[in-house]
Amino acid sequence: MEQFAFAALFILGTALGSFLGVAVSRYDPDRPLFSGTLRGRSRCDSCGKTLRPLHLIPVLSFLFLRGRCGACGSKIPSRDFFVEILSGAIVAGVPAFLASFFNIPLSQFLSGGAEWWQYGFVALWTAVFLAWLAMVCIDMRHYLIPDEFHLIFAVLGIAAAAILVGYRDDLFPFRESF
């Protein structure tokens, strides 16, 4: 059952990685990160043709097409493949690691066998690692880190602090005096 849970999370992660890869490839340093560049269907960077649904299956389509566009045969950047694999590893690995850290089997953790703050931490750390992956990919491609990542990490840090405050009363013993 653990392997099934891990595999399901990995598949979900590769789908998120496919979206992340599109966001990274469409990033334009002259426009804000959240400027609507993600609108529109997926298309080949070389020929501009809209990709068919079979060409959009994360990881598998890259392997079956041997890293080439299904329409024109031009080479697809291997970065897209690695972003999908790493995203799958993040989305499956973070919950697996934190579930073992909390001494809960992954399948039990995924079926509601944990407390709310544990799910919050899993979601936060998954988001942190995915944001780091996007930031590294953009940095490797454009040699810059967009300012919006400061905002993303600040929001995630505030959310982590809110979870800790909500769960750990012993961290703030003076709270009742306010």
Side-chain angles (χ1 to χ4, degrees):
M1 188 66 176
E2 298 297 310
Q3 293 86 359
F4 176 75
F6 191 84
L9 285 173
F10 184 82
I11 291 169
L12 173 66
T14 59
L16 287 173
S18 180
F19 175 77
L20 196 66
V22 169
V24 166
S25 67
R26 291 186 186 180
Y27 174 72
D28 181 6
D30 298 328
R31 297 175 65 188
L33 186 63
F34 305 112
S35 64
T37 57
L38 295 178
R39 292 185 186 155
R41 304 245 347 243
S42 294
R43 60 192 177 282
C44 174
D45 292 335
S46 296
C47 66
K49 289 193 177 185
T50 301
L51 299 178
R52 297 190 321 220
L54 280 176
H55 297 161
L56 297 174
I57 300 170
V59 179
L60 295 178
S61 62
F62 186 90
L63 294 174
F64 288 135
L65 294 172
R66 292 186 219 120
R68 303 215 170 261
C69 171
C72 68
S74 64
K75 191 170 183 188
I76 298 171
S78 59
R79 174 196 68 237
D80 296 346
F81 176 73
F82 289 114
V83 166
E84 290 173 358
I85 293 288
L86 287 172
S87 296
I90 288 169
V91 171
V94 169
F97 174 78
L98 288 176
S100 70
F101 181 78
F102 299 136
N103 291 323
I104 302 171
L106 182 61
S107 57
Q108 182 183 345
F109 183 81
L110 294 176
S111 64
E115 295 185 38
W116 69 269
W117 65 271
Q118 293 169 325
Y119 292 114
F121 260 28
V122 166
L124 281 170
W125 278 109
T126 302
V128 164
F129 280 106
L130 288 174
W132 278 339
L133 178 61
M135 184 178 69
V136 165
C137 290
I138 289 173
D139 187 30
M140 288 175 63
R141 188 164 184 219
H142 298 284
Y143 302 105
L144 65 93
I145 297 174
D147 291 333
E148 290 87 353
F149 281 104
H150 299 291
L151 177 64
I152 291 169
F153 290 124
V155 168
L156 292 172
I158 290 169
I163 289 173
L164 276 177
V165 168
Y167 173 69
R168 299 289 307 256
D169 289 334
D170 58 335
L171 290 176
F172 302 95
F174 55 86
R175 182 170 36 182
E176 286 79 26
S177 63
F178 288 112

